[in-house]
Amino acid sequence: MYFFRKTLSLAAALSLFPFLGLSLPAENATGNPAPALKPINVLDFEAATGIQRRAAEDFSHLDLKTQAELIYGRPGNDGQLLLANMTLYAPDGLQIVLMERFEPLTSAVDCNGDDGNMSLTFKSKDAFQHAVDTWNFINQAPEKKFLLIANHDGCGPNDERQPYLITKVEEDEATLTTHLTAEKAPWSEIAGSYDLDFGKAIPTNKPVQRRGLFNILAGNKDTSKSVSFPLNVGTPGVTTAIVSTSVFSLNCLDCYVTGSFQVTGHLSIKNYHLQDFTLSGAPQDFAAKLELGTTIAAPYSPDSLSYNKTLFSAPIPDAGISVPGIFSLGAIVSYDIGVSTTFRGSASMNFGLTASLPNTALAIADIQNPTQSSATGFDGGSFDRSFNLTALSASVTVAAFSQPKLSFGVDITGVGHLDVALALKLPLVEATVAAAYNESGLCSTNPGASKTGAKVTTDVAVEVDLLLDAKLGSDTTPSASFVLFKAKKDLSSNCFPIPIPGLTSSNSTNTAITATPTLPTTVIGVVTSVPVTNIGVPTVTPVTSVVPVKARGWSA
């Protein structure tokens, strides 16, 4: 394979990037198929990226092989050329020859029409004779044949490779032409075993110039870049109502996420069975802000509430990848807010957190072996807490999270459908607020200091979840979620001197209420086979957890 497997082989879908019982179509925002990658001539790719120099005459390209390397790509956003590299393994009893490798040896190729004939005219007698000597074995018995894959104008659909089964070879030495009896072969019948790497990108600003040739590659040997999936959701400064009841109201005062995820993947199929599927994702310039405002007006007896709301969900335009006839992947991004609170008495406060992730963080999802998935570097984030208390009569403990999620729907021809997602609880913040009284002054012993106020403790956490659902042939994998990483950090405690009428040493809590709120169960965005914008919320049953990474100052 041409792409660097060292990174991809660290584990083996996402999340990378989670789902379900229903399915996410591999479509883009318009409901149309994911943007198709076009064939890139293998010799052009090797020469342009410095993998291999083009030989003047290499008759070995006419030899039949047990496998073939196929390169695909298309221009993407931000001047990137998106790439996919496929190694196709020959079906049992067949061998493969790739036309684009031997085409420099020919002066003419004719496979127009549907008459079952293909003609190849060679530039030299030596090339012609090598082709005849190599391919002539199929004339010896009716069951003899080989597979020819064409990437040539007039051979198959525009901007697609077309496989042919060759069953007979006739020669015309006078014109140096071979006439082949050729039958079009659907990819679903011949692509039963292959490896596919996708998500690498080459920076470029040059246009595609002709079929199968991306001159934008010329001289560019940098294949270290990855496709970026934007995760810009929410609008800074916009207030969104989350819940409103007679005793409890919650508003998102400033909730948004900015940044992107760089995503690469590796897929391995053998005899139409999934052997390996890995998605890896790395956040880039990723930041999230969660600022909430809540008002509680309740009796003094303890009570609790729990809510979850999707603020945003939509496909990512032009972010999908499709190799026609073989593989397609569509992506959507969503943004959830979850909150849970246990309280007694009344309160009015704003609280929140601004968080960022380091660009060195990495999540790797192994679809075949989910417990081998991992997330590293997420403990290196930075956090900036905000808190403003305007009224309090008792105690409140509130936990809240914002959850951006990148979800993928994957269709594999002849194998089935997979739904995979990476969900980040970032930030996850828990604040405990206790009304308190001290005759000498609660927050200060200075003369005239307030005897009443609130003691506030805040914890912050980061959690990375992998969500999966698969239907592969007759096998259906139950929806499942896996915790790849979870770490918690205690922030400093604070004291807020505020007047609380009627609070004395006899009725002061001085400590937080003992009940700890439980956040809503992580939910998965599900898109049915109808338009991709219809998002549902199925229940997810946790199957197992991956041991989280611990770091200094953090606890699991």
Side-chain angles (χ1 to χ4, degrees):
M1 306 294 285
Y2 295 120
F3 300 156
F4 299 105
R5 289 290 308 281
K6 182 177 180 180
T7 299
L8 296 175
S9 62
L10 291 176
L14 193 193
S15 231
L16 236 206
F17 232 81
F19 286 108
L20 357 314
L22 299 176
S23 62
L24 166 64
E27 299 178 345
N28 63 15
T30 64
N32 296 321
L37 303 183
K38 298 180 180 182
I40 299 177
N41 185 287
V42 174
L43 294 180
D44 293 335
F45 181 85
E46 292 176 342
T49 56
I51 294 175
Q52 182 174 314
R53 286 189 173 185
R54 189 193 300 270
E57 279 193 325
D58 189 346
F59 297 156
S60 68
H61 290 325
L62 294 162
D63 296 342
L64 301 177
K65 311 289 185 180
T66 58
Q67 65 186 57
E69 302 286 346
L70 308 175
I71 308 297
Y72 294 87
R74 69 171 175 85
N77 297 326
D78 302 322
Q80 295 185 110
L81 175 66
L82 313 184
L83 297 174
N85 173 31
M86 178 179 180
T87 300
L88 175 68
Y89 300 100
D92 290 343
L94 289 178
Q95 289 185 300
I96 305 172
V97 64
L98 201 59
M99 181 186 289
E100 62 205 74
R101 282 198 176 277
F102 70 71
E103 191 170 352
L105 302 173
T106 66
S107 59
V109 175
D110 183 4
C111 47
N112 289 323
D114 297 315
D115 56 2
N117 294 315
M118 177 188 297
S119 63
L120 306 171
T121 302
F122 290 88
K123 294 177 180 178
S124 70
K125 184 174 182 179
D126 288 342
F128 166 79
Q129 194 61 51
H130 191 98
V132 170
D133 292 344
T134 302
W135 301 343
N136 197 47
F137 74 97
I138 63 174
N139 294 332
Q140 299 173 7
E143 67 275 10
K144 300 288 187 180
K145 61 187 71 174
F146 64 86
L147 189 65
L148 184 151
I149 298 177
N151 175 21
H152 184 86
D153 288 328
C155 300
N158 290 335
D159 294 319
E160 293 185 22
R161 289 184 173 94
Q162 176 63 56
Y164 291 88
L165 282 175
I166 309 301
T167 56
K168 187 177 181 180
V169 179
E170 295 181 350
E171 56 191 274
D172 184 348
E173 187 173 0
T175 61
L176 302 181
T177 300
T178 59
H179 299 279
L180 310 179
T181 300
E183 176 186 352
K184 290 182 179 179
W187 283 106
S188 58
E189 294 182 6
I190 61 101
S193 298
Y194 60 87
D195 292 325
L196 179 68
D197 286 324
F198 58 90
K200 290 296 183 182
I202 292 179
T204 179
N205 292 309
K206 300 179 182 179
V208 179
Q209 297 193 4
R210 65 177 175 86
R211 174 192 175 108
L213 172 62
F214 285 68
N215 285 346
I216 50 181
L217 289 170
N220 194 337
K221 303 178 183 180
D222 182 8
T223 58
S224 63
K225 306 297 182 183
S226 300
V227 176
S228 291
F229 289 78
L231 283 180
N232 299 310
V233 292
T235 304
V238 173
T239 297
T240 303
I242 305 299
V243 62
S244 179
T245 71
S246 59
V247 297
F248 179 76
S249 68
L250 180 73
N251 294 316
C252 215
L253 305 178
D254 202 6
C255 302
Y256 61 89
V257 175
T258 62
S260 63
F261 257 85
Q262 290 188 345
V263 179
T264 56
H266 171 70
L267 175 67
S268 181
I269 303 296
K270 184 175 182 180
N271 295 327
Y272 297 99
H273 288 86
L274 182 66
Q275 299 296 303
D276 185 16
F277 188 15
T278 306
L279 284 171
S280 65
Q284 297 296 302
D285 303 323
F286 198 90
K289 186 173 184 179
L290 176 67
E291 185 173 347
L292 302 171
T294 184
T295 300
I296 301 169
Y300 203 72
S301 57
D303 201 353
S304 62
L305 294 169
S306 181
Y307 294 93
N308 192 93
K309 185 173 182 176
T310 298
L311 299 186
F312 175 88
S313 182
I316 304 175
D318 299 322
I321 295 173
S322 173
V323 179
I326 299 170
F327 169 88
S328 62
L329 177 147
I332 65 172
V333 60
S334 60
Y335 185 47
D336 294 347
I337 297 293
V339 64
S340 183
T341 180
T342 302
F343 54 86
R344 59 185 179 189
S346 61
S348 179
M349 61 183 179
N350 297 345
F351 68 98
L353 201 70
T354 302
S356 64
L357 289 176
N359 289 348
T360 53
L362 178 67
I364 301 175
D366 187 332
I367 303 306
Q368 280 293 88
N369 303 287
T371 58
Q372 299 302 309
S373 303
S374 63
T376 57
F378 288 88
D379 54 309
S382 62
F383 302 92
D384 184 13
R385 177 183 57 179
S386 63
F387 192 93
N388 182 32
L389 182 68
T390 57
L392 182 71
S393 67
S395 297
V396 178
T397 299
V398 59
F401 67 82
S402 66
Q403 178 176 269
K405 181 172 56 194
L406 183 60
S407 305
F408 298 96
V410 181
D411 287 314
I412 306 170
T413 299
V415 177
H417 182 89
L418 292 163
D419 291 311
V420 185
L422 177 65
L424 295 174
K425 287 189 177 71
L426 178 77
L428 192 160
V429 59
E430 181 176 318
T432 300
V433 185
Y437 176 93
N438 189 307
E439 183 67 29
S440 302
L442 181 66
C443 303
S444 170
T445 58
N446 294 332
S450 175
K451 299 178 182 180
T452 61
K455 293 182 178 179
V456 180
T457 59
T458 307
D459 297 332
V460 61
V462 176
E463 182 173 320
V464 183
D465 296 330
L466 168 64
L467 315 173
L468 298 176
D469 184 70
K471 186 173 183 179
L472 305 175
S474 58
D475 298 329
T476 299
T477 301
S479 302
S481 66
F482 304 85
V483 177
L484 301 186
F485 176 90
K486 185 175 182 180
K488 182 178 179 181
K489 190 174 186 179
D490 298 328
L491 300 183
S492 59
S493 299
N494 296 93
C495 184
F496 290 82
I498 59 173
I500 304 178
L503 186 66
T504 66
S505 59
S506 61
N507 60 9
S508 168
T509 59
N510 277 308
T511 57
I513 47 183
T514 57
T516 300
T518 302
L519 283 170
T521 302
T522 299
V523 295
I524 302 170
V526 180
V527 184
T528 64
S529 57
V530 292
V532 69
T533 53
N534 294 342
I535 305 296
V537 186
T539 300
V540 180
T541 302
V543 175
T544 186
S545 293
V546 178
V547 177
V549 177
K550 296 181 181 180
R552 182 177 299 175
W554 295 78
S555 59

